[in-house]
Amino acid sequence: MNDRTDDIPVPRAFDQVTPEWLTRVLALTVPGVEVLTARVDPTMGHKPNKARVHLTYNKAGQEAGLTPTLVVKGTFNGTVSRGSIIDFSNMAELVSYRDIVPKIEINAPRLIYQNWEAHPSESVVLLFEDMAYRNPTYFPNGFATLSYGQAARILEASARFHAQTWNSPAFEQGGEWGPGTPVGENGRRIRSDYFDILPASDHWRESVTSPRGAAIPRLLRDADRMAAAWRRLVDMLETHGKVIVHGDEHLGNFFVEPDGRPGFYDMLSRAEPWPLGMARFLVPTLDTLDRRAWEASLVAGYLRDLARFGAPAPSFEEAWLAYRASTICPLMIWLNNSSTWQPEATNTANAARAAVAVLDHDAFGLLGL
């Protein structure tokens, strides 16, 4: 079969992930394959955009060693948009796996197929290997926080791909990840469509009166203070190394191989100052008491790894200040994260962890507020 990607429609509901559609997709790389049956189990995780697919194949598929399950992820909301930020996040993930992951040294799931349609509404589909076949030993969640060793291994792996892209010429005008490129748009839109407008949004007003919002100190619910803090943080971080970040660093987006090697998935990658990725990672992945005890050592270890991998690592004092100020970033995220995308208990736990981190570090004071 010689189907081109452009000729294959993007499924807009799970019942459109059929044997016929999967046959056309897999035949792009496995000649002669036919998917005989496909059963979609749309109960994989909390989000309504990912499912495990159970497949059977003809002889060509069996001889090619195709696994009996794959993971499909996409927009899956028919022809109606769930909102610009959700549409953006779906497209940003496609861009991450298409344009970034193949060009950096990172352990991530293998992308088998990707496609998107702009009309009648933006819709994305991604087909991945099922990582269950790697026999991972650990898939963390909002309550199984990381040990020191696990956090250090993930930071080491992060430092490796951060060092590869540290202030890369690719981020500049005309570069492959520069302004106007899909990767450049990932970075621009996450600020313009989310962080820059979040404190003034209806969503902020709803979040601060929700149970998780009501439980945090009133200082941290002040929209004007947060908007000013975010602007000052952006200015502060202008002098810090810009790198490709995972972009959605939290416990639900990591796994550990049997040999202890960490892996990353559900990526929303873009070029950002490294302290934002560090704060988004450490604050929600460590128990509050562990964070207090370990974070300085973990930041120092990350800086040593950066230098070992060839990046001009900043001094600890410079990095520690930037990291502490950046703790407002995970607070903004987890105070406002939709319960459609993470269980409310996870949102609450992470908002509480972020609130304590901001207070522990006097992040507003560091930003002159």
Side-chain angles (χ1 to χ4, degrees), residues 30 148 156 173 185 201 207 290 354:
V30 183
Y148 184 95
E156 179 186 27
Q173 189 70 47
E185 284 296 284
S201 68
S207 295
D290 293 337

Side-chain angles (χ1 to χ4, degrees), residues 69-90:
T69 60
L70 297 171
V71 172
V72 66
K73 188 170 184 180
T75 310
F76 297 128
N77 52 276
T79 59
V80 178
S81 170
R82 288 195 178 101
S84 62
I85 195 63
I86 301 302
D87 289 343
F88 158 74
S89 66
N90 289 321

